[in-house]
Amino acid sequence: MIRFPLTDLLNQQECYNFLLDILHPQGLCCPYGHFLPAGQCPHMGDRAPILDYRCRECGTVFNVFTGTVWAGTHYSCAKIILILRGLTQGIPTLQLADELQCDYGTLLNYRHLIQAAALRNLDRSPLVDKVTEGDEMFQNAGEKGDPHRDPTDPPRTRANKQRGRGTMANDRPPIQGVVGRETGEIRLTVGEDTRQVTIQPEVESKTEAGARFYSDESSAYNLVEASGRPHGTVCHSQHEYARDDDGDGVREVHCNTMEGIWTGLRNFLRPFRGVHKGYLAQYVAMFEWAHNLKRVTLGFLQILITPPFIQLPT
């Protein structure tokens, strides 16, 4: 793959202004919330446009990245923008590190910090749709990168052929998903298994009472009807994939929409050539954000890298 560095083609000041708007929409301030007075001279300016200031209230030296995942970084503003772009688009870490001439381990650490923020801030409110679908997907994910010196604990081989339903323990963690047919929004969760005691609470938390719910014939969904959600199923084992129950000529009983979401998720995960199961939920969260938003927004970027202020002045 030919390298094509872009950092020299981007205006550093414009990139700085963009990051400043994300991290400090009300204006630059120190980690304790003391705003920078207009016209104050910088404490240090050797990395312009990134300038260090000394707070006149508490004496703290800070810059635009203080308190964020980028605190202490030597990356330029343009490189940070390109890293954020690559992470939100799902570009593999090795490819991104090679293109931007970054250290792979450092970039991977940034990826996990940023994706952890995406996972923490997922919208977990129930879907407002009156018709929803649910399904599970099993994703091969072992302990990529972890040493396996114990002969009784061999590393996972590619194309895991473990028979039966996948679990977190056998390196085929299940991902339970619900999609709304009206909004198209999804709610995804990486779980330990697909037992009824695990799946039922997920359905109840992701849908509103009274919403019609369609799934396959899995016994994990047997109590959905009892929870106040009209439930229809198709029997995939009998090669049934869609059925018309109300006689209007439309085969409304199916979970094909959710099956299509799984195709998109697999395509999103495939370029990574394997994901550690401990971080799988982070990657799934990034896919969920991308699917529901469609386009990067200022609010989304604020969620990923906004500074967690220790306290605000009273």
Side-chain angles (χ1 to χ4, degrees), residues 138-277:
F138 301 103
Q139 175 64 32
N140 285 344
E143 296 170 327
K144 182 180 179 180
D146 288 358
H148 289 260
R149 299 183 177 90
D150 186 350
T152 64
D153 180 31
R156 178 187 69 82
T157 57
R158 292 193 179 275
N160 185 3
K161 301 298 184 181
Q162 184 83 28
R163 296 182 64 84
R165 286 187 169 270
T167 66
M168 186 68 74
N170 66 19
D171 292 343
R172 292 183 63 220
I175 305 169
Q176 200 282 329
V178 175
V179 59
R181 286 191 182 174
E182 289 87 1
T183 65
E185 288 196 10
I186 59 176
R187 300 286 187 269
L188 306 179
T189 304
V190 177
E192 294 290 330
D193 52 55
T194 55
R195 297 180 300 158
Q196 189 178 88
V197 68
T198 304
I199 298 298
Q200 180 66 23
E202 293 295 330
V203 175
E204 294 185 14
S205 67
K206 294 171 183 173
T207 61
E208 294 183 340
R212 186 168 294 277
F213 183 79
Y214 294 118
S215 70
D216 58 23
E217 71 280 11
S218 171
S219 60
Y221 298 105
N222 284 352
L223 296 181
V224 169
E225 187 92 34
S227 69
R229 294 160 176 79
H231 183 207
T233 65
V234 287
C235 187
H236 288 168
S237 62
Q238 299 297 319
H239 305 288
E240 180 187 47
Y241 300 100
R243 186 177 67 253
D244 177 15
D245 274 357
D246 54 16
D248 62 354
V250 178
R251 297 183 177 184
E252 74 283 350
V253 184
H254 65 80
C255 52
N256 295 334
T257 312
M258 197 65 239
E259 294 281 357
I261 301 297
W262 296 143
T263 299
L265 178 56
R266 287 190 177 96
N267 289 338
F268 178 82
L269 294 173
R270 187 172 291 114
F272 295 100
R273 307 294 186 185
V275 172
H276 193 295
K277 62 184 179 183

